[in-house]
Amino acid sequence: MNRRDAAKGVAGVVLFVAGVLVALPTPYRERSVVFQAGGCGLDTAVIEAKTGKRNGTVLLLHGLAANKKIMSYLARGFAAQNLRVIVPDLPGHGRTPGPFSPQRAELCSMALLQDLFVRGMAQPETTILAGHSMGAAIAMRVAEKQPVAGVVALSPAPMRAAHGTPPEAVLFDGAPSQPKNTLVLSGEFELQSMRANAAELVSEATPSGSKYEVVARATHVSLIFDPRVVRLSQQWTAQLLQIEPSAALPSRWPMLAAIGGLAGILLIAGPFLQEVAGKARDALKVPTDSPRLGLAFVILLAASLLGTEILRWWKPLTRLRVLEGDYLAAFLLLVSIVAIAANWRVALGSLKASPKELVGAIFSGLVLLLLITGWLELTLTEAWLNAARWARFPFFFLAVLPYHFAEELLLGPPQKLATWRRLAAGLSFRLVAWLAILVGISYLHSGEILLALLAPYFAMLSILQRRGMDVIRKGTGSAAAAAVFGAILLAGFCLVIFPIT
C-alpha cells in the first residue's frame, strides 16, 4: 500500500471513529416494541423525552420505501415537546414482515392507532397523526375515520389522478373530503403535480383550522431532515394541544456525523479493494475486441427499449415479491440477454476467472455491503437485511449478475480507456438504461413510479459501485469478478430499499 492509500485509510478510520462518538448517543429515551394490532406485527419505535412529562402522543408514519429509523429527526422534534412519539415500520418495510400494499398499510395504521387508545398509551383529544409521502396520505385518511387532535402531512402522496399525476401513481382511491386541523407542507423543488395535489387538499376545505405551506428550497425527501419543517410542525402541534410552543430543535450533528462515518468507510474501501484485487498477472488474458463505444451505446439503447416493451406485457420475476424491485431485476436481465448475445464471442472469452479472483470479489462485495448497511442501520436508516430479504438475495443477485457482466463486455478491458473515461462511459450506459425505464413510466404507463422517485439514490450507488468494479477489474483482469462484485452491491441495495410484498 502506497502513502496515498495509507493516508486515505487513516482519514477513513478517523472519520468513522468520530462518527461513532457523535452519531450514536441520543438525549431521548428510545425503545422498540412490536404491536400485534390487527395481526400486523408492526415493529415500532417509541421515542420520548427523558423529562417524564407527557403532553400527548404523535403517531408518525413513514413513506413508501422508507422506515421508522429515517424519521428519527422529525420524531425527536416532536419528542422535544414532551410528546410520546410512536413510529412503526409499515408492512413490508424495515423490520415489519410483509406483505405490503398501500391498503394494508392504511389498515394496519388504523389498527395501531386504535390499539394505542385501548392500551391507554394515547387519547384522541391529545393525539396528532403525522406522516411523510405515503404516510402523510395515510395519516389524513385515518384522521377522517378516527377523530384526533390534528394532522401534520409532509408532501402527501397524490390521492387523485389530477394536475398531471397519472392514475398508476395514485396509491389510494380518493382523498379526504374535509380534512380538519391539518397542516400540509410541500417542498419548493417537488414535482408541480405533487404540490398542486397537496395544495388542493386544504384549499377548498370547509372546516377552518387547516393550512397549506410551501417550504423554500426543499425537496420531497429533504423535508424530513429540515429544521424549518420541524419548527412548523412543533408550532402546529403546540397550537392544537395548547402547549408551550418554544421547544428546542433536535441536533443535526448525529446526522452529519453519520454521513461523515459513511464517508470514512468509503475512504477505507478504496485501499481495501486494491489489496483484495491485487494486480492482474496477465493484463491481456481477456479479449480486447470489445465493441466501439458508439456501437456499445446503440446496443444498450436497443436492448433497453426492447426490455421496457417486453415488461409492458410480461413481468417474469414477480415471484421475487419485491415491490418494483422485481421490475428492475427483470429489466436488467432482459437488457443483458440482448447485450451478451450481440457480443457472444467476447462473452465466451471473458467468462474465465480463477477461483481466487471470484472468492476475492465475493468477499470484498459482502464485506462492503455489511459494513455500509451496518453503519446505516446504527445511524440513519434501517439497512440491515432481515431474514426475509436475505432469502431473496441469491435470486436477486443471479438476476442482476448478467447485466454487470454485459456492462463489462461493452466497456472492454481497463487498458482500453483512461480511468475517468471508463467511469464516465459506465455511468452513461446506466443513464441510457434508466432513461428507457423512465420512457416506460411516462409513455408506456408501466406503473413502476417508485423507480423514478428513487433515481437519485441509484445515481449515487452507481458512482460508488462502478468505481469499485473498475478497481476489481483492473486488479484481477477479470470481467466476471467485477460483475460478481457489482451484482452483490446492487442486490443488497435493492433489498434494503424496496418493500417486500
Side-chain angles (χ1 to χ4, degrees), residues 122-161:
Q123 289 75 41
E125 62 275 11
T126 57
T127 294
I128 301 292
L129 296 183
H132 173 246
S133 193
M134 178 186 71
I138 292 175
M140 296 183 71
R141 292 170 65 84
V142 169
E144 188 177 41
K145 303 165 189 172
Q146 173 65 60
V148 291
V151 176
V152 176
L154 310 183
S155 186
M159 289 174 272
R160 291 199 311 118

Side-chain angles (χ1 to χ4, degrees), residues 85-102:
V85 189
I86 311 293
V87 197
D89 277 335
L90 295 175
H93 293 72
R95 296 288 167 267
T96 297
F100 164 78
S101 71

Side-chain angles (χ1 to χ4, degrees), residues 259-270:
I259 296 172
L262 179 60
I265 292 174
L266 296 177
L267 281 175
I268 298 169

Side-chain angles (χ1 to χ4, degrees), residues 313-374:
W313 308 103
W314 177 54
K315 298 180 181 178
L317 298 182
T318 53
R319 296 193 68 179
L320 281 175
R321 302 193 68 82
V322 180
L323 181 70
E324 301 197 17
D326 54 3
Y327 180 97
L328 177 61
F331 171 79
L332 294 177
L333 181 60
L334 292 170
V335 170
S336 67
I337 291 173
V338 176
I340 292 173
N343 299 276
W344 64 273
R345 285 192 177 90
V346 181
L348 289 176
S350 299
L351 284 172
K352 296 178 181 179
S354 70
K356 181 180 178 180
E357 292 167 349
L358 291 178
V359 169
I362 293 170
F363 172 75
S364 57
L366 288 175
V367 167
L368 279 183
L369 175 63
L370 294 175
L371 276 176
I372 292 172
T373 56

Side-chain angles (χ1 to χ4, degrees), residues 72-229:
S72 293
Y73 183 70
L74 184 60
R76 290 170 179 176
F78 287 122
Q81 296 179 283
N82 291 315
L83 299 171
R84 173 184 283 150
V85 189
I86 311 293
V87 197
D89 277 335
L90 295 175
H93 293 72
R95 296 288 167 267
T96 297
F100 164 78
S101 71
Q103 293 70 31
R104 186 163 188 261
E106 181 181 348
L107 290 174
C108 290
S109 299
M110 173 65 84
L112 175 58
L113 180 64
Q114 294 173 341
D115 190 54
L116 293 174
F117 292 157
V118 170
R119 291 170 179 261
M121 295 182 66
Q123 289 75 41
E125 62 275 11
T126 57
T127 294
I128 301 292
L129 296 183
H132 173 246
S133 193
M134 178 186 71
I138 292 175
M140 296 183 71
R141 292 170 65 84
V142 169
E144 188 177 41
K145 303 165 189 172
Q146 173 65 60
V148 291
V151 176
V152 176
L154 310 183
S155 186
M159 289 174 272
R160 291 199 311 118
H163 306 290
T165 300
E168 58 268 19
V170 178
L171 297 178
F172 303 99
D173 184 19
S177 57
Q178 295 182 341
K180 300 178 181 178
N181 298 331
T182 299
L183 172 65
V184 179
L185 299 177
S186 293
E188 179 185 4
F189 297 145
E190 289 192 81
L191 293 174
Q192 191 278 334
S193 59
M194 289 197 69
R195 294 200 312 271
N197 272 289
E200 192 176 62
L201 290 171
V202 297
S203 62
E204 298 178 359
T206 53
S208 61
S210 291
K211 180 181 179 182
Y212 173 73
E213 189 165 335
V214 176
V215 180
R217 304 179 304 282
T219 67
H220 181 73
V221 174
S222 73
L223 287 172
I224 60 176
F225 304 109
D226 196 318
R228 297 170 298 171
V229 171

Side-chain angles (χ1 to χ4, degrees), residues 180 252 285 316 442:
K180 300 178 181 178
R252 300 182 77 187
K285 66 180 179 178
S442 303

Side-chain angles (χ1 to χ4, degrees), residues 142-492:
V142 169
E144 188 177 41
K145 303 165 189 172
Q146 173 65 60
V148 291
V151 176
V152 176
L154 310 183
S155 186
M159 289 174 272
R160 291 199 311 118
H163 306 290
T165 300
E168 58 268 19
V170 178
L171 297 178
F172 303 99
D173 184 19
S177 57
Q178 295 182 341
K180 300 178 181 178
N181 298 331
T182 299
L183 172 65
V184 179
L185 299 177
S186 293
E188 179 185 4
F189 297 145
E190 289 192 81
L191 293 174
Q192 191 278 334
S193 59
M194 289 197 69
R195 294 200 312 271
N197 272 289
E200 192 176 62
L201 290 171
V202 297
S203 62
E204 298 178 359
T206 53
S208 61
S210 291
K211 180 181 179 182
Y212 173 73
E213 189 165 335
V214 176
V215 180
R217 304 179 304 282
T219 67
H220 181 73
V221 174
S222 73
L223 287 172
I224 60 176
F225 304 109
D226 196 318
R228 297 170 298 171
V229 171
V230 172
R231 178 60 73 201
L232 289 169
S233 302
Q234 288 177 333
Q235 291 171 350
W236 190 257
T237 301
Q239 175 186 324
L240 295 178
L241 300 181
Q242 297 182 347
I243 59 178
E244 178 60 43
S246 59
L249 288 172
S251 172
R252 300 182 77 187
W253 278 109
M255 183 168 57
L256 296 175
I259 296 172
L262 179 60
I265 292 174
L266 296 177
L267 281 175
I268 298 169
F272 166 72
L273 290 179
Q274 290 175 354
E275 288 297 311
V276 172
K279 293 184 178 180
R281 293 181 299 275
D282 183 2
L284 300 178
K285 66 180 179 178
V286 295
T288 58
D289 56 339
S290 55
R292 295 178 181 271
L293 279 181
L295 178 58
F297 276 108
V298 172
I299 292 171
L300 190 65
L301 177 60
S304 299
L305 293 176
L306 178 61
T308 303
E309 181 61 27
I310 291 174
L311 289 173
R312 182 182 180 187
W313 308 103
W314 177 54
K315 298 180 181 178
L317 298 182
T318 53
R319 296 193 68 179
L320 281 175
R321 302 193 68 82
V322 180
L323 181 70
E324 301 197 17
D326 54 3
Y327 180 97
L328 177 61
F331 171 79
L332 294 177
L333 181 60
L334 292 170
V335 170
S336 67
I337 291 173
V338 176
I340 292 173
N343 299 276
W344 64 273
R345 285 192 177 90
V346 181
L348 289 176
S350 299
L351 284 172
K352 296 178 181 179
S354 70
K356 181 180 178 180
E357 292 167 349
L358 291 178
V359 169
I362 293 170
F363 172 75
S364 57
L366 288 175
V367 167
L368 279 183
L369 175 63
L370 294 175
L371 276 176
I372 292 172
T373 56
W375 176 248
L376 292 176
E377 174 78 22
L378 287 172
T379 56
L380 284 176
T381 182
E382 288 176 325
W384 194 255
L385 298 181
N386 59 14
R389 297 177 190 275
W390 275 119
R392 289 161 170 79
F393 184 88
F395 305 102
F396 213 103
F397 166 78
L398 291 174
V400 301
L401 176 60
Y403 172 81
H404 292 84
F405 182 65
E407 191 174 79
E408 287 297 316
L409 297 183
L410 295 176
L411 287 171
Q415 297 79 15
K416 181 180 177 181
L417 296 170
T419 300
W420 70 269
R421 288 183 181 274
R422 196 171 202 274
L423 176 61
L427 295 177
S428 298
F429 287 163
R430 299 189 181 194
L431 178 60
V432 168
W434 211 259
L435 289 175
I437 290 177
L438 295 181
V439 168
I441 295 171
S442 303
Y443 298 103
L444 302 182
H445 301 290
S446 63
E448 311 301 331
I449 193 68
L450 184 55
L451 294 177
L453 297 177
L454 294 174
Y457 303 100
F458 277 100
M460 289 187 287
L461 170 72
S462 291
I463 295 171
L464 300 173
Q465 179 212 33
R466 187 61 256 172
R467 180 67 185 119
M469 289 176 66
D470 287 343
V471 172
I472 296 293
R473 179 71 185 273
K474 184 177 180 180
T476 64
S478 170
V484 166
F485 173 83
I488 288 173
L489 294 187
L490 180 62

